[in-house]
Amino acid sequence: MRILFLGDIVGRVGREAVIDRLPGLRNELSLDLVVVNGENASHGFGLSPAIGRDLFAAGADVITLGNHSWDRRDMIGHIDAEPRIIRPANYPPGTPGQGSVVVELVNGRKALVISVMGRQFMDAMDDPFRAVSDILSRHRLGVTVQAIVVDIHAEATSEKWAMGHICDGRVSLVIGTHTHTPTADHRIFPNGTAFQTDAGMCGDYDSVIGMGKDAAIARFVRKMPGERLQPAEGDASIAGMMVETDDATGLALRMAPLRLGGHLAQTRPDF
C-alpha cells in the first residue's frame, strides 16, 4: 500500500496548495491512502465542515485534528456525522467524535487511522499510550486491516519517539504533527514501523510556524497581548511523508519525505 501523510494545513494558502496539488499527486504517486492533518486549515485555527468537504473532494481519505479541534464550533455538531474526520482518541469519554477510523479503499483493502495528542507542554489529556493500545487491541495489522497510521499531535519530541517505539511492529507509520517543522529523522524501526518526529506543515514557511511574522515576533519581544495572529499569506509549501508497505504484513518497506513549492528545499519520493 502506498500512503501519503500531509502535515498540519495552515490557513488559506496551505489548504489551497493541498487542494490544488493533491489530485495530481494521487495519480503521479499511485497513492492508496491519503491522510492530512487539518486542525489549522480554517484561518489557522480549527477546521470548518466546508473545508473538510473540499479536502475530501481533492483526494484526502482521512482528516486528523489536534489541540485546535474545537476552535470552530460548527465542527462540534459536524464531527459525529463525518467519521472520516477524527479528533485525538485521548480526549475524555463523552467528547464528540471518534479518535480512530477504519476506511475501506477503492481496491477493497482497509486502513486504520488513529489520532492522539501528547501531554507534555499541552492541554491536560487522558493517556495517549493507553488510548493507542486500546484501539490496537481491536485490530491486527496485516489481518483485519492492511495498514495502520498513527498521528501523534505533540510538542515533545521524546513523547513522539516513545510512541514510535511502543508501536514498532504493530502499525505501519507513526508520524508527529503540531510543531509545523519537518524533521530529518525519518526511518523504519527494527520491527518495521515507519517513523518521523514531525511531518511539518502545509503553509507559508516565511512565517513563524505559519503565522504572520510581525505579530508573532511582537508577542515574544513585548511579552504583551497584541494583534490576533493571522496565517501568513505567501507562497506555500506542501510537506509530508510517503510510505510504501508490504501487502502481506502491513509493515513499512520504504519511506521518503515530500516537500513541494514555497521556501523549502524541494524533494519528492522516487519510488
Side-chain angles (χ1 to χ4, degrees):
M1 189 179 296
R2 295 166 73 90
I3 302 167
L4 178 65
F5 185 97
L6 295 180
D8 307 49
I9 299 170
V10 181
R12 178 184 61 82
V13 297
R15 67 177 183 264
E16 288 182 353
V18 171
I19 289 168
D20 179 61
R21 298 296 294 269
L22 187 52
L25 288 171
R26 283 209 74 129
N27 181 58
E28 295 162 20
L29 299 175
S30 301
L31 299 172
D32 298 297
L33 173 68
V34 175
V35 182
V36 303
N37 184 288
E39 74 135 15
N40 299 119
S42 181
H43 306 290
F45 300 93
L47 174 74
S48 72
I51 292 172
R53 288 189 289 269
D54 289 343
L55 291 170
F56 287 131
D61 295 297
V62 177
I63 301 172
T64 60
L65 299 174
N67 59 301
H68 291 290
S69 293
W70 314 120
D71 285 7
R72 288 285 308 230
R73 286 186 172 272
D74 47 1
M75 182 52 62
I76 298 173
H78 177 73
I79 195 167
D80 283 320
E82 180 44 271
R84 295 174 297 170
I85 300 175
I86 58 174
R87 45 74 174 167
N90 55 323
Y91 270 109
T95 303
Q98 300 296 322
S100 65
V101 65
V102 175
V103 290
E104 185 167 342
L105 309 177
V106 293
N107 51 23
R109 289 178 289 181
K110 294 180 179 180
L112 168 65
V113 182
I114 302 171
S115 169
V116 288
M117 194 156 75
R119 295 188 292 183
Q120 303 300 310
F121 316 113
M122 303 282 284
D123 292 339
M125 298 286 286
D126 292 346
D127 184 351
F129 300 97
R130 181 178 295 114
V132 169
S133 181
D134 287 347
I135 295 168
L136 292 181
S137 71
R138 301 191 294 272
H139 301 276
R140 187 177 173 191
L141 182 62
V143 180
T144 61
V145 292
Q146 283 66 58
I148 301 177
V149 175
V150 177
D151 172 358
I152 175 166
H153 197 77
E155 192 78 45
T157 56
S158 57
E159 199 168 14
K160 295 176 180 180
W161 280 32
M163 182 65 74
H165 287 299
I166 284 174
C167 290
D168 187 21
R170 304 169 70 194
V171 310
S172 310
L173 170 66
V174 173
I175 191 156
T177 55
H178 180 63
T179 69
H180 296 194
T181 304
T183 57
D185 63 339
H186 63 278
R187 62 202 187 278
I188 297 175
F189 282 149
N191 293 319
T193 293
F195 174 82
Q196 184 186 21
T197 299
D198 203 283
M201 71 172 180
C202 298
D204 179 8
Y205 280 80
D206 186 22
S207 65
V208 175
I209 62 170
M211 296 295 166
K213 291 181 285 188
D214 291 344
I217 290 170
R219 291 191 175 200
F220 287 111
V221 172
R222 298 174 186 162
K223 301 302 293 180
M224 293 177 60
E227 63 180 286
R228 178 179 168 85
L229 295 176
Q230 300 287 343
E233 295 284 328
D235 293 336
S237 300
I238 293 175
M241 180 61 59
M242 181 174 167
V243 175
E244 186 174 76
T245 64
D246 181 272
D247 270 340
T249 66
L251 296 171
L253 295 173
R254 47 189 176 174
M255 65 188 305
L258 173 78
R259 294 192 296 271
L260 299 175
H263 302 278
L264 298 184
Q266 310 292 284
T267 184
R268 60 187 298 150
D270 59 1
F271 56 85

